[in-house]
Amino acid sequence: MASAAAPASSEEAVKAAKVLMVGAGGIGCELLKTLALSGFSDIHVIDLDTIEVSNLNRQFLFRKSHVGQSKAHVARDAILKFRPNINIESHHANVKDAQFNVDFFKQFNVVLNGLDNLDARRHVNRLCLAAEVPLVESGTTGFLGQVTVHVKGKTECYECQPKPIPKSYPVCTITSTPSKFVHCIVWAKELLFAKLFGDKNQDNDLNVHSKDGSSSKSDVFERDVDEDLDQYAQRIYDHVFGYNIEVALENEETWKNRRRPNPVYIRDTLPEAVKQNGSSRDCSNDHEEPSAMASLGLTNPQEIWTLAENSRVLLEAFKLFFEKREKEIGNLVFDKDDQLAVEFVTAAANIRAHSFGIPLHSLFEAKGVAGNIVHAVATTNAIIAGLIVIEAIKVLRDDYKNYRMTYCLEHPTKKLLLMPVEPFEPNTSCYVCSETPLLLDVNTKVTKLKEVIDKIIKSKLGMNLPLVMIGSTLVFEDGDGLEEDEAANYALNLEKVLAELPAPVINGTKLTVEDFQQELSCSINIKHREEFDEEKEPDGMVLSGWSAPVEKQINSNGENKSAASSSSAHATDDTVEDPSKPGMKRKLDELLETKENCDASSSAQVVEDDDDCTMLDGNPALIKKKRLQ
Amino acid sequence: MMDLSKYVADLICFFRRLGIRAFRAMGGGGGGGAEEELTAQETALYDRQIRVWGVDAQKRLSKAHVLVCGVNGTTIEFCKNIVLAGVGSLSLMDDHMVTEDDLNSNFLIPHDESVYGGKSRAEVCCESLKDFNPMVRVAVAKGNPSLIDGTFIDMFDIIVVSCASLKTKLFINDNCRKRSKHIAFYSVECKDSCGEIFVDLQDHSYLQKKPGGEPEQQELKYPSLQEAISVPWKDLSKRTTKLYYAMRVLESYESSEGRDPGETSLSDLPAVLARRKDMCDRMSVDESKIPTSLLERLLAAGKKEHPPVCAILGGILGQEVIKSISCKGDPIKNFFYFDDADGKGAMEDIPPTS
Ligand SMILES: [Zn+2]
């Protein structure tokens, strides 16, 4: 890489290059077009997604007739139509699949990311580091965007700086003490919707309040034999919005310093519905997709419905699921593109919000919150794609003195709408690109290996298929191709507490965890601790010595700094405001404000299901120049 | 101008239909200020962007009519962006026959002479643009930008001019300013890895976003193109981008030589350097304000556009047009420059607002 020779001409470098594009969504469509125009002629594209209607306003390679088809394949075909002489290989697959291993990555001169989620970004970062292939990373939200360059040993890697991770909410906030609309949405979508229409075998915290003493039934959510659908719907309504609230109110302790919620019963919100019981309207004006809004004559998704309207929508949506989509019941998972599901969740969240004195929201707004919808426009994606290609050409020419991170701003800052910044040096305490050990505070006497793997190794360290070693003893390995007895042995280990593993884990033990696919290995030093704060340390474990993702704290007493305070030197930069840059402060607040829009998710949210999610990091104002050597 | 009058008749007919649609959507419920709602189809398609700029902006967009004079890689990027955004209509004016040169930066022209042969740039691109969004009316406006008149101009809310001579740009800008209707004027040029956008919104009032507060009404007064390029250079801030001066030198050289825009090469350097000396002397500034290396780059560029720069300029311009139609967000006043060499995308306010 680091040749002393003069950089090749752009044309030559571009012509000879083989590039990998990860993501064929909002940024991807623009990028593939700009790459093709710029003379790139050997391009691989990976994308797992299929095309949706709401993509069409910006993913211009796709048409209505393509809805449901692979983004990667359709994007390839669209580009080949106007530039038939270039080579594009499309993969309709997950970039985390085993086929895209380090050897696969090694064939490329540069990797260009147009991804929508943190998880995949971290994975690609690790593969690029392992394969020693430069990475150009990008993201957009609304009018904001950024492009960064990551070259091993020269600039910081994608994970050198803290990243925002999806918010999670304590279970009790969702089940008992919601204070924001998003809490009601999470409740409606992940508890109520899942309970009624999803997999019955899943654990569901809605059961907490379903111990209905007066009923002999094992589960009040089950429909009685011969129960009229209207009766059933109203019974569920009264149970979750009325009875459950009454039960919750009995616990005086909870409401000492909180506003008490009001139980809501159908007889109060819709007195006529109770009387009309059974006289279902004729909703036979066959809509292709059943919709409660349509059958109730509600047309404007921007409008905020009254409590009565929400109640009507809820009952109607409930009934439509049973009347028109009965076969799917038991297998439904909330999907932001499922109109009826969005209607149900909006109405349920609003009724709950009413109960708790939280302002109601329109279906349009509720859909945005429930579906984690990222604000996206074509223009920003086009600009960002242009900037990616400019950086990619510099990388191909090995012109590292001119590498830049570029921020696309909504409002000009110091006259700039596109602000280039010199990249950072690698963070020497980054566990991904350096070999710094991590520290895990954990109660080794009660914590199972499974919990450490799920909560720390997979979710915090982002490993896909981890392997865990204690000294030279292998205690766990993930993935296919294990011998039967090995697999059985590992399964046993998973359920054991740390101190009772074949090689006991106690205070001072060093764990080695590895992911072969990512070629990432790191050490974790164990510190035994018996007391954990349930509110602030809900995992019962605290990982430190790494650049922790910036998680918005739910309780704001500012004491929970376990992860943040131990993060890298960059963290201290965040408190410095460059006095030579007036007006910058405002800009930053806006950047941060907007960033929040893209992670309004919940604890159970694992899939980020829209493209172009920005991870705005490294505040441009706070960046202290560090010249690359 | 025969073609033009037919075009006008056609467009008027289209507006009538729009009017009828708007009337129907009000539902005959006795008016009461009820605004036309977006259709379910529009709401589904524009969902993500409505989350960025709001329903009102989307409604305004769907009623805006845009004319683009001069079809090249940069303006086509712009066209793609606003067609996707859902403007009411887009008209393309460029009678030049497609040549192989157009293929370099214009992604709407296929590498197939049987497709583009014998067709104008506007015709070939119009067909593809229609495909991007069936809800936007895209049409070819035959004619010569240097001859368009007031009644024609009145049909548009936004006019974007590219690959036109300075004379033509001044003529159209002047015409826009003379109309009683508010017509926003933009010009854009891409010279390989550099680009310039000029904006004239005349009197523009808009809502400025205030972080954490209510949006505030703001008023801006724009200079005309003539005013913006005739400012004495010594009045300008030292930090004014060198591209501003370099573009004026080039523009002046092309005009006096009767060249088409971009019809220059490195062989023009001596004459351009003489022009630089001449202008700098007249403006009483030092020639070093305009580096020779920059003029060389611009001359060598000729008509060449660097595709990533087209995407950046077309993106910024698209965003600006959306801001001006929706009257939301700080617009560029009144120049924007991008240079691949330093990666900056910067605004210049010329003459500076005191
Ligand atoms: Zn790192």
Side-chain angles (χ1 to χ4, degrees), chain A residues 3-235:
Chain A
S3 66
S9 86
S10 299
E11 286 78 15
E12 289 166 38
V14 163
K15 215 175 272 173
K18 183 167 184 177
V19 305
L20 173 63
M21 258 181 63
V22 192
I27 294 172
C29 279
E30 296 286 343
L31 183 56
L32 193 55
K33 170 257 306 167
T34 304
L35 285 173
L37 281 173
S38 304
F40 285 83
S41 54
D42 197 355
I43 308 168
H44 279 239
V45 192
I46 304 176
D47 198 311
L48 173 66
D49 286 343
T50 52
I51 297 158
E52 291 169 23
V53 171
S54 61
N55 299 150
L56 304 179
N57 79 319
R58 62 197 187 283
Q59 301 177 17
F60 72 100
L61 299 176
F62 309 145
R63 303 283 168 269
K64 208 159 188 188
S65 59
H66 296 135
V67 169
Q69 297 182 37
S70 151
K71 286 188 178 179
H73 296 330
V74 175
R76 169 186 182 271
D77 294 349
I79 293 295
L80 289 181
K81 254 183 208 152
F82 82 95
R83 291 296 179 273
N85 300 324
I86 66 174
N87 176 47
I88 304 176
E89 248 174 77
S90 54
H91 308 265
H92 180 207
N94 189 334
V95 69
K96 290 171 84 176
D97 289 351
Q99 53 172 315
F100 306 120
N101 54 16
V102 173
D103 280 338
F104 174 85
F105 272 72
K106 274 186 177 152
Q107 64 182 306
F108 302 102
N109 301 97
V110 63
V111 174
L112 313 174
N113 267 359
L115 277 164
D116 61 356
N117 67 86
L118 181 62
D119 208 34
R121 283 183 165 107
R122 292 169 75 180
H123 186 81
V124 173
N125 179 47
R126 291 160 190 202
L127 282 160
C128 285
L129 284 167
E132 302 204 26
V133 180
L135 169 65
V136 182
E137 173 62 73
S138 69
T140 66
T141 299
F143 290 124
L144 302 176
Q146 67 177 29
V147 173
T148 53
V149 191
H150 307 282
V151 181
K152 190 174 182 177
K154 291 209 170 87
T155 70
E156 61 177 11
C157 84
Y158 176 70
E159 294 174 87
C160 276
Q161 283 201 59
K163 294 286 173 294
I165 57 165
K167 269 181 253 179
S168 61
Y169 303 102
V171 172
C172 60
T173 305
I174 303 303
T175 57
S176 324
T177 55
S179 57
K180 289 179 179 165
F181 187 65
V182 61
H183 301 152
C184 302
I185 285 284
V186 173
W187 176 86
K189 158 174 113 158
E190 276 154 35
L191 299 183
L192 188 60
F193 183 88
K195 181 78 201 163
L196 293 168
F197 310 119
D199 183 353
K200 297 273 185 280
N201 299 320
Q202 289 268 314
D203 280 351
N204 190 312
D205 288 313
L206 208 59
N207 290 334
V208 172
H209 293 304
S210 66
K211 292 169 197 141
D212 191 333
S214 66
S215 166
S216 56
K217 280 194 301 286
S218 58
D219 189 347
V220 286
F221 292 95
E222 286 296 317
R223 187 177 178 181
D224 292 340
V225 190
D226 299 331
E227 189 175 21
D228 175 80
L229 190 53
D230 283 290
Q231 268 173 7
Y232 177 40
Q234 292 180 18
R235 187 167 60 78

Side-chain angles (χ1 to χ4, degrees), chain B residues 75-317:
Chain B
T75 50
I76 277 307
E77 280 282 346
F78 163 75
C79 291
K80 171 205 72 193
N81 294 334
I82 59 157
V83 167
L84 289 171
V87 291
S89 76
L90 167 67
S91 303
L92 299 176
M93 182 178 276
D94 192 330
D95 292 347
H96 293 90
M97 290 299 137
V98 173
T99 67
E100 235 170 89
D101 286 345
D102 293 316
L103 305 179
N104 293 326
S105 56
N106 190 326
F107 63 92
L108 293 183
I109 306 178
H111 268 212
D112 180 355
E113 219 189 322
S114 70
V115 177
Y116 67 75
K119 287 191 190 149
S120 74
R121 290 176 192 159
E123 282 167 338
V124 175
C125 296
C126 175
E127 288 313 305
S128 314
L129 282 167
K130 274 181 188 165
D131 251 15
F132 286 176
N133 187 348
M135 283 187 273
V136 176
R137 187 195 134 111
V138 187
V140 174
K142 285 195 176 170
N144 184 339
S146 66
L147 299 172
I148 59 179
D149 63 17
T151 25
F152 178 71
I153 283 181
D154 272 349
M155 292 188 301
F156 302 98
D157 305 289
I158 306 279
I159 297 184
V160 173
V161 185
S162 190
C163 42
S165 66
L166 176 61
K167 195 176 155 210
T168 302
K169 287 180 185 169
L170 289 169
F171 167 78
I172 298 175
N173 180 238
D174 196 41
N175 249 312
C176 289
R177 295 190 139 247
K178 280 184 190 147
R179 311 310 299 172
S180 55
K181 181 188 171 194
H182 186 275
I183 302 165
F185 173 91
Y186 297 83
S187 83
V188 59
E189 293 303 335
C190 175
K191 301 229 169 248
D192 197 11
S193 54
C194 298
E196 178 186 68
I197 296 174
F198 167 77
V199 182
D200 177 11
L201 303 182
Q202 303 176 39
D203 293 310
H204 181 63
S205 69
Y206 68 101
L207 281 178
Q208 185 180 50
K209 262 202 217 165
K210 286 275 169 198
E214 284 295 297
E216 235 167 63
Q217 193 73 30
Q218 292 285 334
E219 312 285 334
L220 284 177
K221 203 169 178 63
Y222 282 74
S224 69
L225 178 58
Q226 184 66 65
E227 286 161 341
I229 63 171
S230 327
V231 183
W233 289 357
K234 58 178 190 324
D235 293 355
L236 296 179
S237 146
K238 277 197 193 86
R239 284 196 299 271
T240 304
T241 174
K242 295 174 169 28
L243 263 174
Y244 169 81
Y245 306 105
M247 290 296 282
R248 304 290 79 78
V249 171
L250 216 64
E251 201 170 71
S252 154
Y253 177 73
E254 282 174 356
S255 301
S256 64
E257 295 288 306
R259 305 275 183 91
D260 274 351
E263 207 188 321
T264 48
S265 68
L266 268 181
S267 62
D268 294 303
L269 187 63
V272 168
L273 292 181
R275 169 79 40 169
R276 171 181 71 180
K277 182 172 188 325
D278 200 38
M279 290 174 83
C280 287
D281 286 352
R282 221 167 355 106
M283 295 283 193
S284 323
V285 296
D286 197 274
E287 273 186 77
S288 63
K289 232 182 176 55
I290 316 168
T292 307
S293 59
L294 181 57
L295 288 170
E296 277 174 355
R297 277 174 67 206
L298 296 176
L299 283 173
K303 289 182 183 171
K304 186 169 181 275
E305 298 168 284
H306 189 34
V309 180
C310 295
I312 291 166
L313 293 172
I316 296 281
L317 186 58

Side-chain angles (χ1 to χ4, degrees), chain A residues 11 30 33-34 37-38 52-54 56-58 60 63-64 81-85 142-143 299-302 336-337 364-365 367-368 373-380 382-383 386-387 389-390 393-394 404 406 410-412 415-418 420 586 590 593 610, chain B residues 37 41 43-53 55 77 80-81 84-85 103-107 109-111 128 131-132 209 211-212 239-240 304 306-309 311-312 315-316 318-320 322-323 329-330 332 336 338 340 342-348:
Chain A
E11 286 78 15
E30 296 286 343
K33 170 257 306 167
T34 304
L37 281 173
S38 304
E52 291 169 23
V53 171
S54 61
L56 304 179
N57 79 319
R58 62 197 187 283
F60 72 100
R63 303 283 168 269
K64 208 159 188 188
K81 254 183 208 152
F82 82 95
R83 291 296 179 273
N85 300 324
F143 290 124
T299 52
N300 187 358
Q302 313 281 343
K336 67 180 180 344
D337 295 307
F364 180 81
E365 292 163 324
K367 181 179 168 184
I373 292 176
V374 175
H375 305 196
V377 283
T379 50
T380 317
I383 295 166
L387 292 168
V389 174
I390 286 173
I393 293 173
K394 289 183 207 166
R404 292 290 179 273
T406 308
E410 180 169 4
H411 307 288
K415 299 201 305 189
L416 296 181
L417 278 171
L418 301 176
R586 191 195 80 163
E590 282 171 27
E593 187 188 333
D610 208 55
Chain B
E37 277 177 24
Q41 193 191 6
T43 308
L45 176 66
Y46 301 135
D47 184 281
R48 297 303 183 270
Q49 65 198 38
I50 292 174
R51 293 177 195 279
V52 177
W53 51 61
V55 187
E77 280 282 346
K80 171 205 72 193
N81 294 334
L84 289 171
L103 305 179
N104 293 326
S105 56
N106 190 326
F107 63 92
I109 306 178
H111 268 212
S128 314
D131 251 15
F132 286 176
K209 262 202 217 165
R239 284 196 299 271
T240 304
K304 186 169 181 275
H306 189 34
V309 180
I312 291 166
I316 296 281
Q319 227 147 276
E320 285 307 308
I322 290 162
K323 281 187 206 164
D330 296 316
I332 287 173
F336 173 83
F338 180 79
D340 183 358
D342 62 12
K344 282 183 190 162
M347 296 193 342
E348 294 290 350

